[in-house]
Amino acid sequence: MEREELLQQAATLIEKTQGIAFIVPEDTGFFSIDDDMVQQVRGLIDQAVELLRDLTGHYDTESKALHEGEGDDLLSDIGAQISSELAAREVSGLAFVARGQLMEMRESLNSALEHKQVWVVASHSDAGLRQVGKALIAIESAICEYEGFEARDRRWVDLDDSLEIRRLYSQFRRAVLRGGEPQPDQLTVRLRSAATRIAILRNLEIYPFLRIDDRLTIRKLQKRILAWLAGEDEGGEQAGLRLWQDLVSFARLLVKVNDREELREHDRQAVTTIHRMLFSANRSVKRLSENQLKELERLVGRDDDLDQLILNAERHPVEELQEPLEWLRDSLQSTFASVPLGIPLLDEE
């Protein structure tokens, strides 16, 4: 199969994937999933697995041909030949890894369907749709770069939605962790406050766009808290303390939203721009402008110490931002550099 045909198949699958909005609007324990939609997702995963197999074979063959010198008539420079061989191998490796991830996702989805685990089906369908889209966009970009084709401007995720979700998660985390572990006489008040925050969160417009696994955990925590507050849990104070610990554990895990590829890339660019804007050699910023503060606020949720400075900017000198911004900049660059070139940073589910 020719590379142009493979690339066109990838583009077609990306467009099909982007045409499906897998959203579960009602977050109750009793909902049904559109069977046709699930079958669409399964079909897309199957097609993507097949295409990624063909892409792996095509670029693996091309890499071997270049290694054996069959491309000498096209490449007069041995350095260029080696570079092309590595690039072809990278595309092949990228397709191989992505295919393995999708095959695992397909197996999990099929198992959930077989056992009629509705929430798990929803979760794996949601995750599978994202993985297909992200994997194929990464592949398409790598092929275009290797082949010298014009890259297509793809945007799989909505960055503003991701930033809003991160802000909500950071607010929730700070609210739960503020004050440390409650004393026994504070437990009822603290759990009631957490239940109220969860209720507010579930009524927000962005809520249906949270990951289904997160929503399921939030709903379960809310039900457990309300049951304990109503005296339905016979475990008493000890049960309440265990519930609080589960709530704290979940709140802390929400920081993993920062592992999303789009947020890492956004933060890497944003922190470099903001640091240059505030602390370049020819600048002496004493007070943040409204626009500068807005740019900083897009980082809220990335680092708790930096959050405190941003959210209380009027009480802190601008120079106090320099060290945490530099630490964050170096951390993000180091994390990015440690990832093998071309391997997609797919979300772990």
Side-chain angles (χ1 to χ4, degrees):
M1 191 178 297
E2 294 297 326
R3 64 194 70 182
E4 290 84 358
E5 185 179 350
L6 290 169
L7 187 61
Q8 182 55 50
Q9 284 188 26
T12 300
L13 278 181
I14 290 170
E15 288 160 8
K16 285 183 179 179
T17 303
Q18 291 178 325
I20 298 177
F22 196 91
I23 298 172
V24 182
E26 297 298 330
D27 195 39
T28 71
F30 308 97
F31 73 92
S32 60
I33 304 174
D34 188 329
D35 287 338
D36 288 341
M37 183 175 290
V38 173
Q39 293 309 317
Q40 283 185 61
V41 174
R42 290 181 69 185
L44 283 171
I45 294 175
D46 288 340
Q47 292 175 63
V49 166
E50 184 177 345
L51 174 59
L52 289 167
R53 180 200 61 201
D54 293 342
L55 284 164
T56 301
H58 177 88
Y59 284 98
D60 188 50
T61 300
E62 188 149 331
S63 171
K64 290 177 180 177
L66 287 165
H67 178 72
E68 294 167 0
E70 295 180 15
D72 285 346
D73 57 333
L74 299 176
L75 299 166
S76 58
D77 188 298
I78 187 63
Q81 181 169 336
I82 293 172
S83 177
S84 293
E85 178 192 339
L86 291 174
R89 192 184 306 163
E90 182 181 301
V91 176
S92 174
L94 184 62
F96 179 82
V97 171
R99 181 170 181 263
Q101 292 173 328
L102 287 177
M103 289 174 69
E104 289 181 7
M105 179 60 66
R106 179 174 62 184
E107 184 178 344
S108 297
L109 175 58
N110 288 338
S111 176
L113 284 165
E114 181 181 349
H115 292 90
K116 304 185 186 305
Q117 298 169 306
V118 181
W119 267 109
V120 181
V121 169
S123 177
H124 288 318
S125 297
D126 179 42
L129 195 61
R130 282 201 309 275
Q131 284 201 359
V132 168
K134 290 186 177 182
L136 292 179
I137 286 172
I139 284 287
E140 183 187 57
S141 176
I143 293 173
C144 287
E145 181 177 357
Y146 172 69
E147 302 288 1
F149 299 151
E150 183 178 353
R152 305 186 185 189
D153 183 18
R154 301 283 192 189
R155 191 182 182 191
W156 169 248
V157 296
D158 189 313
L159 177 60
D160 288 337
D161 282 352
S162 293
L163 290 169
E164 183 178 351
I165 290 169
R166 178 168 70 177
R167 283 193 295 271
L168 289 173
Y169 281 178
S170 68
Q171 290 170 4
F172 184 80
R173 185 173 68 254
R174 285 195 302 273
V176 170
L177 300 181
R178 189 181 300 122
E181 184 170 334
Q183 296 298 315
D185 61 343
Q186 301 172 324
L187 191 56
T188 298
V189 173
R190 297 284 291 278
L191 285 174
R192 184 176 291 119
S193 175
T196 300
R197 287 187 174 276
I198 291 175
I200 293 171
L201 177 64
R202 289 183 59 185
N203 283 323
L204 295 176
E205 289 185 9
I206 194 68
Y207 184 76
F209 296 90
L210 270 58
R211 293 185 181 185
I212 289 176
D213 286 346
D214 288 351
R215 291 166 55 188
L216 178 57
T217 303
I218 289 168
R219 184 177 65 83
K220 285 182 176 178
L221 281 170
Q222 185 184 42
K223 289 179 68 175
R224 289 177 60 196
I225 292 171
L226 293 176
W228 187 86
L229 291 172
E232 298 172 9
D233 190 328
E234 297 178 357
E237 181 181 306
Q238 289 303 312
L241 289 172
R242 286 195 299 271
L243 176 54
W244 178 262
Q245 289 302 322
D246 290 344
L247 178 65
V248 167
S249 296
F250 174 67
R252 286 177 173 156
L253 281 174
L254 290 177
V255 76
K256 288 182 68 64
V257 70
N258 285 306
D259 291 342
R260 294 189 185 184
E261 181 181 358
E262 70 272 14
L263 289 176
R264 277 195 298 258
E265 181 59 30
H266 166 270
D267 294 349
R268 189 161 44 246
Q269 294 179 10
V271 74
T272 300
T273 300
I274 292 168
H275 185 274
R276 186 186 305 118
M277 183 170 57
L278 298 179
F279 303 112
S280 60
N282 60 344
R283 285 181 178 272
S284 179
V285 177
K286 298 299 182 184
R287 184 179 179 83
L288 294 173
S289 68
E290 185 177 343
N291 286 337
Q292 289 168 342
L293 183 57
K294 284 183 179 179
E295 288 300 314
L296 274 168
E297 287 174 345
R298 290 173 70 84
L299 292 172
V300 167
R302 167 57 70 172
D303 176 79
D304 287 344
D305 292 336
L306 182 58
D307 284 358
Q308 291 303 314
L309 293 175
I310 296 172
L311 296 173
N312 300 282
E314 71 283 354
R315 300 205 300 264
H316 295 274
V318 174
E319 55 264 26
E320 288 188 22
L321 289 165
Q322 185 166 0
E323 184 175 344
L325 283 174
E326 289 174 353
W327 177 87
L328 179 57
R329 180 193 59 192
D330 295 343
S331 173
L332 288 167
Q333 289 174 346
S334 174
T335 301
F336 180 70
S338 69
V339 178
L341 182 62
I343 298 299
L345 302 173
L346 298 181
D347 298 296
E348 295 181 1
E349 299 297 336

